[in-house]
Amino acid sequence: MPTPGELAGTIALIALASLPLALSLWALLDCARRPAWAWALAGRRQVLWLAAILVGFLVLVGGLLIASWYLLRVRPLVAAAEDGRVP
């Protein structure tokens, strides 16, 4: 029987290891739900980002970087275009 400290350590390790997967899944779902016209107004390609995020699922560090780049840099542009704020 594991001790409470071992159990807490195992839970923390699993949570930390699943973070890249959760971040990639969030990015993938957000990317897929944005309308095509918002992507066009933002000057980005939805299919390219969907493919990049899906490929990122296969590579841990690459997936984390791709998903982070999408969520921090691309998503705000597409969301702004969806809200009518176009440069």
Side-chain angles (χ1 to χ4, degrees), residues 1-86:
M1 190 78 173
T3 65
E6 291 173 338
L7 187 59
T10 302
I11 291 172
L13 182 63
I14 290 172
L16 185 64
S18 64
L19 185 64
L21 180 62
L23 193 66
S24 293
L25 185 60
W26 175 27
L28 181 68
L29 292 175
D30 185 81
C31 181
R33 79 164 195 84
R34 301 280 174 190
W37 58 265
W39 285 90
L41 285 176
R44 300 291 189 263
R45 295 181 53 199
Q46 185 178 21
V47 174
L48 178 71
W49 278 102
L50 282 170
I53 294 168
L54 280 172
V55 168
F57 270 110
L58 302 174
V59 182
L60 181 69
V61 176
L64 190 59
L65 291 174
I66 292 169
S68 297
W69 187 265
Y70 168 77
L71 290 170
L72 295 174
R73 298 292 184 170
V74 178
R75 181 181 182 268
L77 295 173
V78 178
E82 192 175 0
D83 290 338
R85 297 185 315 261
V86 191

